[in-house]
Amino acid sequence: MGLRSSDSADGDRNGANRKLVLAALGVVFGDIGTSPLYALRECFNPAHGIAVNEANILGLLSLILWSLVLVISIKYVGIVLRADNRGEGGVLALSTLVSTASTNWKVWAPVSAVGLFGAALFFGDGFVTPAISVLSAMEGLTVATPKLERFVLPGAVLILTSLFLMQRHGTGAMGRLFGPITLIWFLTLAALGASHIAESPNVIFAINPLYAVHFFINNGVMGFVTLSAVFLAVTGGEALYADMGHFGRSPIRKGWFMIVWPALVLNYFGQGALLLSDPTAIKNPFYLLAPSWLLPFLIVLATCATVIASQAVISGVFSITRQALNLGYLPRLRILHSSEEEIGQVYVPSVNWLLFAGTLTLILSFRSSSALAGAYGIAISSTMLIDTILVMMLLRVRMEPHNRKIIALLSLILIAESAFFFSNLLKFAHGGWLPVAVAIGIYILMSTWQEGRRTLAWLIAREQMPVRDFMTMVEKEPPTRVEGTAVYLAAEAGGMPRALLNNLKFNRVLHNRNVLLTFVRPEVPFVQPEERIEVQHHGDGLCRIVARYGFMETPNVVAALRGAEEKGVPYEPDSTVYVVGRENPIFTSGSGMPLWRKRLFALMGRNSQLAAIHFGVPSHRLLEVSSLVKL
């Protein structure tokens, strides 16, 4: 189809076993797997004015079924999963893939901006998904008995507080439980739905897409408005692509077609069958599928499922934060690895507590999953549109056989997703503005940091002395030499770092050996070990080490020096001093970014993690040198 991953990754993933499929169930499908809790109920929200009758029930079920077919089965599972960036997925990985695949430099800037905004939208979703998922599960208490309604809100707050507190311990131990619990959840969905389909088998007629067409004919404008509720059934599709790097394509496809899709369809159709026989069950058709004796178990299971779904989104936000940071879109943040075995499991404390504050504010402000449904959808539908557009661009760049047919198919899906987007846009004034506002704010932060760093790097590079000129100067006026090694962190793999030049200028001293260490970020998730370290010898005790790390990897000074030692650069930790430069910008008006963005850039810089800490520089051998730069 024109979208290929690396052969080695394909070989590993084609041999995926049942354990990997089970693990994928617990992470990849958590979000979409909890949609039956509220999706069909919201389709019949009184605000939409859709009557609970046979024609509308079959029409909505047909819409949900074919939405799952087009958006999830065909687009994400069938096409988008093949657009991986060396095994990694997600909107940032996809945008970098499109940028590097195109030879037209004019493509880079707009694609980068689109990918950046898609990542910002994902942050906005990170606030809403945990809130609506946990609230919808806790609302099952009111089905058991109305007397428990007063415990719904405190219970949701307690569960989410515990979830965010747990993040600092990592998800390794809990992750082993995710897969089996989610499997039980999907089997329960299927069993509950199948039992009611057997009682009202005529619900099977909804497989015919003509019922979806008749739904729009019968309901007109309100049918279009209801599309925003239908869209709730496919939220979580982006997670299939974003989490591909953890499990690979094959386990996700097997999990979807063998377990998830059949279970979802059976449950939605079961809810429809229940409504056909009892229209009053619309108050909560999911929980009313279960007999009263099973309700306590179902509430507990649903709560576990929503916690897992929330965990998947939170982990996704952590992962995309690290990608954005390593691609230069965010300032250095404190990132902790929560697992020694899994490289993808990271914890970002500042982002965790920001998500917690936002999620708690949403729960206390909206107070019910129905009210939150208004804030849910715009960000996700926008991200899905961006994914489709970027994949179509990638197919267009890689004009291989059969790509025209895939582009034509994606064009039809794009029309359907556009309808979802514009329907969700109608909810803008009813809470939909919130994730969009969050996304715009985060986009401003990321684009400001990206532009500020680019400008700062250009200004520094313009003043840098070429290595040849430096060697000539040292040869003409030899400075005093001292024992030991000095390692200078250099942002650019070109001229001499300012910290070294300032040391020479003011102290007239150089170490016997001087190492210029530069971390380079190729736009790939991982770098092969044999490609990581490059050593350049310039003579007279000066060499440059270029260490390459992908956007899913964490650079480390000591590890880079150990790698260079294998290539002939001696490393003596006890006689090595690490010199880190720190540029402090001075604001000037009239050129470059607006003054307010310059001040925002400086504020972000002051609150970023120190370079020495971020790159793992041994603190007891650290020397920091500051300098001023006019910005």
Side-chain angles (χ1 to χ4, degrees):
M1 290 189 183
L3 300 173
R4 298 171 184 164
S5 62
S6 60
D7 292 338
S8 60
D10 257 353
D12 292 339
R13 286 161 186 168
N14 287 338
N17 53 31
R18 294 178 183 176
K19 289 183 179 179
L20 205 53
V21 175
L22 188 63
L25 281 180
V27 176
V28 176
F29 301 108
D31 193 0
I32 198 170
T34 54
S35 294
L37 284 164
Y38 46 78
L40 188 60
R41 183 192 69 198
E42 289 306 314
C43 290
F44 289 102
N45 190 307
H48 298 156
I50 304 296
V52 187
N53 56 40
E54 182 174 354
N56 288 335
I57 292 170
L58 295 180
L60 285 167
L61 288 178
S62 185
L63 277 171
I64 289 173
L65 171 65
W66 288 103
S67 297
L68 289 170
V69 170
L70 289 173
V71 177
I72 308 299
S73 297
I74 295 178
K75 175 193 156 182
Y76 274 109
V77 179
I79 299 174
V80 178
L81 284 184
R82 302 186 69 180
D84 65 303
N85 192 337
R86 296 199 182 185
E88 288 296 323
V91 65
L92 274 182
L94 181 58
S95 64
T96 57
L97 190 64
V98 176
S99 299
T100 53
S102 175
T103 56
N104 185 355
W105 67 269
K106 294 181 180 179
V107 171
W108 185 87
V111 166
S112 176
V114 168
L116 198 59
F117 190 66
L121 288 167
F122 189 81
F123 278 99
D125 176 37
F127 289 94
V128 183
T129 297
I132 192 172
S133 298
V134 175
L135 263 179
S136 61
M138 292 302 296
E139 284 167 353
L141 294 172
T142 62
V143 178
T145 170
K147 295 180 180 179
L148 295 177
E149 184 176 0
R150 59 195 177 98
F151 295 106
V152 170
L153 205 61
V157 170
L158 179 63
I159 290 171
L160 284 170
T161 301
S162 302
L163 178 63
F164 281 100
L165 284 172
M166 183 197 72
Q167 297 304 313
R168 63 190 180 92
H169 299 294
T171 59
M174 191 172 178
R176 288 190 286 271
L177 298 175
F178 284 180
I181 291 175
T182 310
L183 177 60
I184 295 171
W185 169 251
F186 283 118
L187 293 177
T188 303
L189 290 183
L192 290 174
S195 64
H196 285 272
I197 293 173
E199 296 173 2
S200 301
N202 56 326
V203 76
I204 299 295
F205 293 144
I207 294 175
N208 188 341
L210 289 177
Y211 280 96
V213 176
H214 290 153
F215 174 80
F216 289 117
I217 295 173
N218 295 335
N219 294 282
V221 174
M222 293 314 298
F224 175 76
V225 172
T226 309
L227 272 179
S228 62
V230 174
F231 180 74
L232 295 173
V234 297
T235 55
E238 163 68 10
L240 274 70
Y241 181 47
D243 290 322
M244 180 173 60
H246 295 290
F247 304 101
R249 196 184 315 142
S250 180
I252 293 175
R253 282 180 173 165
K254 289 179 181 178
W256 172 254
F257 286 115
M258 294 171 59
I259 300 171
V260 180
W261 188 29
L264 291 176
V265 171
L266 284 172
N267 193 265
Y268 283 122
F269 274 54
Q271 291 185 43
L274 173 64
L275 294 177
L276 287 176
S277 59
D278 181 13
T280 62
I282 192 55
K283 60 184 179 181
N284 204 317
F286 173 78
Y287 279 114
L288 290 174
L289 284 175
S292 57
W293 59 268
L294 189 61
L295 201 54
F297 165 77
L298 188 59
I299 293 172
V300 173
L301 183 61
T303 303
C304 292
T306 55
V307 167
I308 292 171
S310 302
Q311 176 62 56
V313 172
I314 295 168
S315 298
V317 171
F318 291 161
S319 179
I320 206 167
T321 297
R322 183 171 70 163
Q323 289 187 36
L325 188 154
N326 291 337
L327 287 169
Y329 297 135
L330 284 175
R332 293 180 296 270
L333 300 172
R334 185 178 176 224
I335 294 180
L336 304 176
H337 289 266
S338 56
S339 171
E340 295 181 1
E341 293 82 20
E342 298 294 333
I343 190 171
Q345 291 187 13
V346 294
Y347 168 60
V348 188
S350 55
V351 174
N352 182 65
W353 297 118
L354 182 64
L355 284 178
F356 173 63
T359 302
L360 204 61
T361 301
L362 284 179
I363 284 183
L364 297 177
S365 300
F366 289 87
R367 307 182 74 83
S368 73
S369 61
S370 293
L372 264 172
Y376 202 43
I378 293 182
I380 303 173
S381 59
S382 302
T383 306
M384 287 186 171
L385 272 176
I386 289 172
D387 282 343
T388 305
I389 293 169
L390 290 177
V391 170
M392 290 174 69
M393 291 180 67
L394 183 61
L395 285 164
R396 182 68 182 84
V397 171
R398 297 177 175 179
M399 203 39 124
E400 300 177 13
H402 309 300
N403 277 10
R404 293 182 187 274
K405 295 180 181 179
I406 301 174
I407 291 174
L409 180 57
L410 284 173
S411 299
L412 293 175
I413 295 174
L414 186 66
I415 294 172
E417 290 183 332
S418 298
F420 281 134
F421 171 74
F422 286 112
S423 179
N424 275 292
L425 207 57
L426 297 174
K427 302 190 297 185
F428 189 84
H430 303 285
W433 59 270
L434 185 61
V436 175
V438 171
I440 291 173
I442 292 174
Y443 177 79
I444 290 173
L445 290 175
M446 292 197 292
S447 60
T448 297
W449 183 258
Q450 179 193 32
E451 182 64 24
R453 289 299 304 170
R454 186 186 296 129
T455 303
L456 195 62
W458 179 80
L459 291 172
I460 294 172
R462 189 179 62 175
E463 298 177 2
Q464 277 188 337
M465 178 183 290
V467 175
R468 181 178 299 176
D469 293 352
F470 174 80
M471 299 301 294
T472 302
M473 181 185 71
V474 170
E475 186 176 339
K476 287 182 179 179
E477 300 180 26
T480 302
R481 295 277 187 165
V482 295
E483 293 294 328
T485 302
V487 175
Y488 293 87
L489 263 64
E492 300 294 330
M496 303 300 296
R498 300 181 81 188
L500 188 150
L501 294 176
N502 286 339
N503 182 45
L504 181 60
K505 177 181 178 181
F506 296 114
N507 297 324
R508 301 297 303 164
V509 169
L510 277 183
H511 285 76
N512 282 334
R513 289 193 304 114
N514 296 277
V515 177
L516 312 181
L517 176 58
T518 300
F519 292 111
V520 175
R521 290 289 190 180
E523 292 186 336
V524 296
F526 302 100
V527 173
Q528 297 297 325
E530 62 273 13
E531 300 173 358
R532 187 175 307 284
I533 301 297
E534 177 188 346
V535 177
Q536 304 167 2
H537 293 281
H538 298 292
D540 200 17
L542 178 67
C543 74
R544 183 185 298 277
I545 298 172
V546 178
R548 296 178 175 85
Y549 287 83
F551 59 76
M552 291 296 291
E553 298 177 297
T554 302
N556 183 272
V557 166
V558 175
L561 293 174
R562 291 291 187 192
E565 187 176 26
E566 298 176 3
K567 297 198 172 186
V569 180
Y571 177 48
E572 300 172 349
D574 295 334
S575 61
T576 298
V577 61
Y578 305 88
V579 186
V580 179
R582 182 173 183 144
E583 291 80 26
N584 297 313
I586 301 175
F587 306 131
T588 57
S589 57
S591 63
M593 295 189 300
L595 189 58
W596 69 268
R597 291 191 75 187
K598 291 180 180 179
R599 288 175 175 166
L600 177 60
F601 172 72
L603 177 65
M604 295 172 71
R606 286 194 297 271
N607 288 278
S608 66
Q609 188 181 45
L610 295 176
I613 297 175
H614 183 75
F615 293 118
V617 176
S619 57
H620 65 291
R621 307 287 300 178
L622 170 65
L623 173 64
E624 189 174 85
V625 179
S626 296
S627 59
L628 300 177
V629 181
K630 288 185 178 181
L631 186 61

